[in-house]
Amino acid sequence: MSVSDAFTFGTQRSRSAQVEHSLRREIVLGTLPPGGVLRELELAQRFDVAQGTIREALMRLSEEGLVQRRARRDTHVTEAHSDDVVELLRIRHDIECRAAIRVIEACDATLQQDLGALLQAMRLAALQGDEFALLEQDCRFHLRLFEAAAMPVVEPVLTRCLLHTQRFKILNSAAASRNLLATADRHVAILDALGTRSPQQLTEALSHHISTIVDFGPQVMPGAETGAPEPMPAATRELRP
């Protein structure tokens, strides 16, 4: 199960998927810190499952970049380096902002309703103090928005950017400084811009949103709060089926 699948997964999970979800939560929230060692036997005992089940979960987390697995050696939780996050923010900014015009072209009542429901789910998670559930709904919101751009090959790249930028934010800020309800309500501006049916306004809303996820965002993406990359050229959009 990919991280993208995890953000849209239903309540029925295999034991491997349950372990994967639990470990992902602990890694993202820092309960399992960067550089921490994960041993299959210990995890199998903890979750009361076979080592093969643990191995399967760790392989998928490795594909997401959350752990590093080496042959005949322990698995380690990956570090969260600012250099990586700078590049991921830039990639995410380009992907989401350049897709804005395609999103506007495909926007319908269903998309707006889905995003509205995800915003309410974020608010509920915030009120319950469940930061990881908020992160999951946040990622679902952005993936649902990007889905309208109809670029499934790019989606896994965006998914990794979403996961790791959020993880970095959590690991590098004090919990008291993270207002969960305010985090949820940051998405209102995106919904409002979508409602205008203006690619420029949606681009600007996404640009500001992404550039202000982490404190140093505006410094590494100068002008991103008021501008954004050029939208996808019309000639490219005309190639869509």
Side-chain angles (χ1 to χ4, degrees):
M1 180 178 65
S2 70
V3 67
S4 180
D5 293 333
F7 290 140
T8 56
F9 210 65
T11 56
Q12 297 299 317
R13 290 191 175 102
S14 67
R15 288 294 289 136
S16 176
Q18 290 174 26
V19 171
E20 178 189 347
H21 185 267
S22 295
L23 292 176
R24 183 185 294 108
R25 180 186 184 98
E26 293 179 14
I27 291 170
V28 169
L29 295 180
T31 307
L32 290 173
V37 178
L38 301 176
R39 297 184 175 88
E40 290 182 5
L41 181 58
E42 292 177 0
L43 290 173
Q45 293 172 341
R46 172 188 164 190
F47 288 102
D48 193 24
V49 296
Q51 278 188 250
T53 300
I54 298 297
R55 192 172 301 120
E56 183 180 346
L58 291 177
M59 286 179 63
R60 289 195 292 261
L61 292 173
S62 176
E63 291 169 0
E64 298 168 11
L66 290 175
V67 303
Q68 291 179 309
R69 291 174 56 78
R70 298 175 183 174
R72 299 194 179 97
R73 297 181 65 180
D74 291 327
T75 298
H76 290 77
V77 178
T78 55
E79 300 291 340
H81 295 300
S82 59
D83 288 347
D84 290 330
V85 172
V86 166
E87 296 308 316
L88 289 171
L89 277 174
R90 287 172 173 159
I91 293 168
R92 177 180 172 183
H93 185 267
D94 282 355
I95 288 174
E96 292 197 71
C97 292
R98 286 173 59 85
I101 193 166
R102 293 175 66 129
V103 172
I104 291 294
E105 290 174 347
C107 181
D108 57 15
T110 300
L111 175 60
Q112 291 181 300
Q113 290 168 3
D114 288 350
L115 294 175
L118 288 167
L119 173 58
Q120 293 306 315
M122 277 188 269
R123 286 171 169 162
L124 178 60
L127 291 172
Q128 294 174 336
D130 190 338
E131 189 164 19
F132 187 73
L134 171 59
L135 179 148
E136 288 183 305
Q137 300 300 337
D138 186 327
C139 290
R140 286 172 180 162
F141 181 98
H142 287 276
L143 290 172
R144 178 64 183 94
L145 184 69
F146 187 74
E147 181 185 349
M151 291 188 285
V153 175
V154 181
E155 188 174 312
V157 180
L158 175 58
T159 301
R160 178 173 283 218
C161 291
L162 290 164
L163 177 66
H164 286 275
T165 53
Q166 292 285 15
R167 178 191 178 214
F168 182 88
K169 175 184 177 180
I170 291 172
L171 294 180
N172 290 275
S173 61
S177 70
R178 298 194 299 272
N179 185 320
L180 301 188
L181 190 57
T183 296
D185 284 342
R186 275 166 42 83
H187 297 77
V188 172
I190 298 173
L191 276 176
D192 289 345
L194 185 65
T196 68
R197 297 296 197 274
S198 166
Q200 181 179 351
Q201 291 193 41
L202 179 58
T203 300
E204 290 175 357
L206 285 167
S207 180
H208 179 272
H209 181 92
I210 296 164
S211 68
T212 55
I213 290 172
V214 295
D215 291 342
F216 58 71
Q219 284 71 53
V220 300
M221 291 185 289
E225 292 189 61
T226 56
E230 289 296 318
M232 186 173 295
T236 305
R237 299 200 309 273
E238 289 168 1
L239 296 176
R240 292 172 62 186

